[in-house]
Amino acid sequence: MALYVHKYGGTSMGSTERIRNVAKRVAKWARAGHQVVVVPSAMSGETNRLLGLAKELAPARANDAYHRELDMLAATGEQASSALLAIALQSEGQPAVSYTGWQVPIRTDDSYTKARIESIDDQRVRADLDAGKVVIITGFQGIDAGGNITTLGRGGSDTSAVAVAAAMKADECLIYTDVDGVYTTDPRVVPQAKRLKTVSFEEMLEMASLGSKVLQIRSVEFAGKYKVPMRVLSSFTPWDIDLNEEATSGTLITFEEDEKMEQAVVSGIAFNRGEAKISVLGVPDTPGVAYRILGPVADANIEVDVIIQNLSKDGRTDFSFTVNHSDYDRALDLLREKVVPSLGAQEVVGDAEICKVSIVGIGMRSHVGVASKMFRVLSEEGINIQMISTSEIKTSVVIDEKYLELAVRALHKAFGLDQAAA
Ligand code: ADP
Ligand code: ASP
Ligand code: MG
């Protein structure tokens, strides 16, 4: 007998029919003698619908009182899907009980809409499992020290699942989704993308942080910190397929360096449409300028990603960086009102139609010329690179958004991923 945490995403929970399918699958695991904790997402579209209602009443506001209510609101999506799954399981003859994050409780800090999990008390969950029940815990949410409901950021049910698996020392955390594993790139953009049988934790971390939304970045961080065995697999296989076949399907996230002799140089390509570029033009090229521009941005809690400062000409330079779309207007206003006048810069311009494309692979550590090959491939396609950022196992470029698909497909082919058989 083993303990498994199953996580089902929004599409997998998207209708009563799909919820029944999930229930049949979970009941199969329970009947095989395993203890199962299930972490469901809200039914697909529900979180967007709820947040849309809030926006109709009041546009996004940067204050805690507003964000508190957004969490109160959005958390209901998972409460509904969890109860529905419990009902479906019971109707299959499988005893089941559902809990919200605060009932468990899953304790978090108090950063509404992007809270971090601090601890999980698994006592009542264990008692129910020992009594033969499947336990369902709402994804995406917890409770802060003041008793307020918090949510973990979009896609946060992945993190709930991995955190529960870590706290309960589960044998494995199975992330069921609408694709059958982690691919060399998003299979919806590149039909030739190949599924990876295994992916190293480090690569998965980079891919998630660079925009592959198949796993929320924090779930991968959690898995790394607590060494939680984690697998991404399809919820769309027939529910009654052989359990052992199911248990070995999909993509396993591994913690050991791959035993394969020949490491693929590039394992995957990630992209992110969610950033915008801001340039402060004609900045005096003097010490402390980066701080005077980015200090106020950080103080406003705006995350900055790629940064580039150009060579100075006549003692003036241009300073560019990217931020999330959701912070774009706020960042522009802030710079125009506070930074430009005090810094004596010329102007601030922005471009929201950009994207970031990244190649990722631990094999890049031991190979030279990978980045330059990336640049060559893009130049052959006539794609202009606006910004570049590199680390040991990735190279990212910022390009015009209209070239995203062309760039990803060309790079996928050039790095041999169309043929990859991992
Ligand atoms: P869920 O609702 O189950 O959490 P998500 O929509 O959050 O599912 O994540 C699954 C989606 O991630 C897939 O449908 C796919 O389009 C996208 N995706 C992006 N990059 C990858 C990748 N490298 N491998 C697999 N899927 C990817
Ligand atoms: N329902 C939440 C969202 O849509 C959390 C999740 O699905 O993981 O972001
Ligand atoms: Mg997701």
Side-chain angles (χ1 to χ4, degrees), residues 7 9-12 158 176-179 181-188 207 212-214:
K7 180 261 172 177
T11 316
S12 313
D158 295 333
Y176 288 88
T177 182
D178 55 6
V179 280
V182 177
Y183 278 67
T184 47
T185 192
D186 189 338
R188 291 183 210 285
M207 280 172 65
S212 298
K213 73 163 190 167
V214 62

Side-chain angles (χ1 to χ4, degrees), residues 45-53 154:
E46 181 62 4
T47 311
N48 285 343
R49 187 186 74 84
L50 292 166
L51 296 175
L53 293 174
R154 299 306 304 268

Side-chain angles (χ1 to χ4, degrees), residues 91-330:
S91 86
E92 295 295 321
Q94 171 60 51
V97 58
S98 70
Y99 295 116
T100 59
W102 65 265
Q103 286 174 308
V104 171
I106 295 179
R107 300 202 180 280
T108 72
D109 65 16
D110 60 2
S111 335
Y112 299 121
T113 74
K114 46 177 182 255
R116 283 182 182 272
I117 295 178
E118 288 178 342
S119 66
I120 297 178
D121 181 348
D122 64 354
Q123 258 182 19
R124 75 194 293 181
V125 179
R126 285 217 187 265
D128 286 321
L129 290 173
D130 291 342
K133 291 181 195 165
V134 164
V135 180
I136 301 158
I137 301 177
T138 52
F140 181 50
Q141 58 199 271
I143 187 168
D144 73 5
N148 304 292
I149 288 174
T150 53
T151 67
L152 310 179
R154 299 306 304 268
S157 298
D158 295 333
T159 303
S160 308
V162 178
V164 167
M168 302 194 65
K169 302 199 170 36
D171 292 273
E172 198 164 296
C173 182
L174 301 171
I175 307 282
Y176 288 88
T177 182
D178 55 6
V179 280
D180 63 356
V182 177
Y183 278 67
T184 47
T185 192
D186 189 338
R188 291 183 210 285
V189 169
V190 182
Q192 294 83 1
K194 297 279 183 293
R195 181 170 61 81
L196 300 162
K197 268 209 178 96
T198 62
V199 61
S200 76
F201 157 72
E202 278 179 286
E203 286 168 328
M204 196 62 242
L205 198 61
E206 284 286 4
M207 280 172 65
S209 82
L210 295 168
S212 298
K213 73 163 190 167
V214 62
L215 288 175
Q216 199 203 33
I217 170 92
R218 283 189 188 169
S219 71
V220 188
E221 287 168 359
F222 238 103
K225 191 162 172 200
Y226 297 99
K227 298 282 175 295
V228 181
M230 186 176 179
R231 182 180 293 276
V232 177
L233 69 172
S234 172
S235 71
F236 288 146
T237 53
W239 69 265
D240 55 354
I241 64 166
D242 176 68
L243 192 143
N244 292 322
E245 187 187 327
E246 185 173 319
T248 51
S249 66
T251 301
L252 182 71
I253 320 289
T254 58
F255 294 102
E256 291 103 52
E257 285 268 317
D258 211 305
E259 43 319 314
K260 273 182 289 175
M261 292 285 290
E262 195 55 39
Q263 197 58 253
V265 180
V266 172
S267 310
I269 299 177
F271 53 84
N272 187 356
R273 291 188 173 91
E275 291 183 25
K277 186 175 85 166
I278 294 181
S279 303
V280 188
L281 307 180
V283 180
D285 192 13
T286 50
V289 158
Y291 174 66
R292 287 176 67 190
I293 295 174
L294 296 181
V297 172
D299 291 344
N301 223 342
I302 296 172
E303 234 174 89
V304 168
D305 184 23
V306 186
I307 303 172
I308 178 169
Q309 178 174 345
N310 295 339
L311 208 65
S312 94
K313 205 173 72 193
D314 312 326
R316 288 192 175 262
T317 177
D318 299 338
F319 189 94
S320 303
F321 56 95
T322 64
V323 297
N324 283 326
H325 266 270
S326 53
D327 293 324
Y328 179 54
D329 290 337
R330 218 154 52 85

